[in-house]
PDB file of all heavy atoms in Angstrom:
ATOM      1  N   TYR B 639      23.374  42.111  -8.159  1.00  0.00           N
ATOM      2  CA  TYR B 639      22.983  41.266  -7.024  1.00  0.00           C
ATOM      3  C   TYR B 639      22.729  42.060  -5.746  1.00  0.00           C
ATOM      4  O   TYR B 639      22.057  41.592  -4.840  1.00  0.00           O
ATOM      5  CB  TYR B 639      24.029  40.172  -6.786  1.00  0.00           C
ATOM      6  CG  TYR B 639      24.070  39.157  -7.901  1.00  0.00           C
ATOM      7  CD1 TYR B 639      25.127  39.122  -8.803  1.00  0.00           C
ATOM      8  CD2 TYR B 639      23.039  38.239  -8.056  1.00  0.00           C
ATOM      9  CE1 TYR B 639      25.158  38.191  -9.842  1.00  0.00           C
ATOM     10  CE2 TYR B 639      23.062  37.306  -9.088  1.00  0.00           C
ATOM     11  CZ  TYR B 639      24.122  37.285  -9.970  1.00  0.00           C
ATOM     12  OH  TYR B 639      24.149  36.372 -10.994  1.00  0.00           O
ATOM     13  N   ARG B 640      23.322  43.271  -5.680  1.00  0.00           N
ATOM     14  CA  ARG B 640      23.027  44.136  -4.533  1.00  0.00           C
ATOM     15  C   ARG B 640      21.538  44.384  -4.382  1.00  0.00           C
ATOM     16  O   ARG B 640      21.069  44.699  -3.296  1.00  0.00           O
ATOM     17  CB  ARG B 640      23.677  45.514  -4.722  1.00  0.00           C
ATOM     18  CG  ARG B 640      25.155  45.579  -4.528  1.00  0.00           C
ATOM     19  CD  ARG B 640      25.558  47.053  -4.441  1.00  0.00           C
ATOM     20  NE  ARG B 640      27.015  47.216  -4.351  1.00  0.00           N
ATOM     21  CZ  ARG B 640      27.611  48.298  -3.898  1.00  0.00           C
ATOM     22  NH1 ARG B 640      26.879  49.345  -3.521  1.00  0.00           N
ATOM     23  NH2 ARG B 640      28.925  48.371  -3.839  1.00  0.00           N
ATOM     24  N   PHE B 641      20.822  44.293  -5.474  1.00  0.00           N
ATOM     25  CA  PHE B 641      19.427  44.730  -5.481  1.00  0.00           C
ATOM     26  C   PHE B 641      18.428  43.598  -5.225  1.00  0.00           C
ATOM     27  O   PHE B 641      17.249  43.739  -5.465  1.00  0.00           O
ATOM     28  CB  PHE B 641      19.128  45.449  -6.797  1.00  0.00           C
ATOM     29  CG  PHE B 641      19.911  46.717  -6.946  1.00  0.00           C
ATOM     30  CD1 PHE B 641      21.127  46.739  -7.606  1.00  0.00           C
ATOM     31  CD2 PHE B 641      19.450  47.890  -6.353  1.00  0.00           C
ATOM     32  CE1 PHE B 641      21.865  47.913  -7.716  1.00  0.00           C
ATOM     33  CE2 PHE B 641      20.186  49.073  -6.457  1.00  0.00           C
ATOM     34  CZ  PHE B 641      21.397  49.081  -7.133  1.00  0.00           C
ATOM     35  N   THR B 642      18.957  42.489  -4.765  1.00  0.00           N
ATOM     36  CA  THR B 642      18.094  41.400  -4.312  1.00  0.00           C
ATOM     37  C   THR B 642      17.528  41.788  -2.940  1.00  0.00           C
ATOM     38  O   THR B 642      18.292  42.099  -2.027  1.00  0.00           O
ATOM     39  CB  THR B 642      18.924  40.107  -4.172  1.00  0.00           C
ATOM     40  OG1 THR B 642      19.741  39.948  -5.322  1.00  0.00           O
ATOM     41  CG2 THR B 642      18.028  38.907  -3.960  1.00  0.00           C
ATOM     42  N   PRO B 643      16.204  41.767  -2.764  1.00  0.00           N
ATOM     43  CA  PRO B 643      15.651  42.191  -1.474  1.00  0.00           C
ATOM     44  C   PRO B 643      16.242  41.443  -0.272  1.00  0.00           C
ATOM     45  O   PRO B 643      16.470  42.049   0.777  1.00  0.00           O
ATOM     46  CB  PRO B 643      14.149  41.907  -1.638  1.00  0.00           C
ATOM     47  CG  PRO B 643      13.896  42.109  -3.107  1.00  0.00           C
ATOM     48  CD  PRO B 643      15.140  41.567  -3.776  1.00  0.00           C
ATOM     49  N   ALA B 644      16.521  40.154  -0.427  1.00  0.00           N
ATOM     50  CA  ALA B 644      17.102  39.410   0.695  1.00  0.00           C
ATOM     51  C   ALA B 644      18.500  39.929   1.027  1.00  0.00           C
ATOM     52  O   ALA B 644      18.900  39.978   2.194  1.00  0.00           O
ATOM     53  CB  ALA B 644      17.146  37.917   0.375  1.00  0.00           C
ATOM     54  N   VAL B 645      19.249  40.320   0.009  1.00  0.00           N
ATOM     55  CA  VAL B 645      20.577  40.898   0.245  1.00  0.00           C
ATOM     56  C   VAL B 645      20.440  42.262   0.923  1.00  0.00           C
ATOM     57  O   VAL B 645      21.198  42.605   1.839  1.00  0.00           O
ATOM     58  CB  VAL B 645      21.358  41.012  -1.077  1.00  0.00           C
ATOM     59  CG1 VAL B 645      22.640  41.813  -0.887  1.00  0.00           C
ATOM     60  CG2 VAL B 645      21.663  39.628  -1.652  1.00  0.00           C
ATOM     61  N   MET B 646      19.451  43.007   0.487  1.00  0.00           N
ATOM     62  CA  MET B 646      19.232  44.322   1.089  1.00  0.00           C
ATOM     63  C   MET B 646      18.796  44.192   2.547  1.00  0.00           C
ATOM     64  O   MET B 646      19.088  45.068   3.367  1.00  0.00           O
ATOM     65  CB  MET B 646      18.210  45.104   0.270  1.00  0.00           C
ATOM     66  CG  MET B 646      18.711  45.329  -1.167  1.00  0.00           C
ATOM     67  SD  MET B 646      17.497  46.189  -2.214  1.00  0.00           S
ATOM     68  CE  MET B 646      17.734  47.873  -1.627  1.00  0.00           C
ATOM     69  N   LEU B 647      18.133  43.106   2.865  1.00  0.00           N
ATOM     70  CA  LEU B 647      17.802  42.848   4.265  1.00  0.00           C
ATOM     71  C   LEU B 647      19.070  42.588   5.073  1.00  0.00           C
ATOM     72  O   LEU B 647      19.224  43.089   6.194  1.00  0.00           O
ATOM     73  CB  LEU B 647      16.840  41.652   4.364  1.00  0.00           C
ATOM     74  CG  LEU B 647      16.528  41.157   5.770  1.00  0.00           C
ATOM     75  CD1 LEU B 647      15.920  42.246   6.648  1.00  0.00           C
ATOM     76  CD2 LEU B 647      15.596  39.943   5.718  1.00  0.00           C
TER      77      LEU B 647
END
Side-chain angles (χ1 to χ4, degrees):
Chain B
Y639 292 108
R640 286 193 184 200
F641 295 94
T642 314
V645 171
M646 299 177 78
L647 173 58

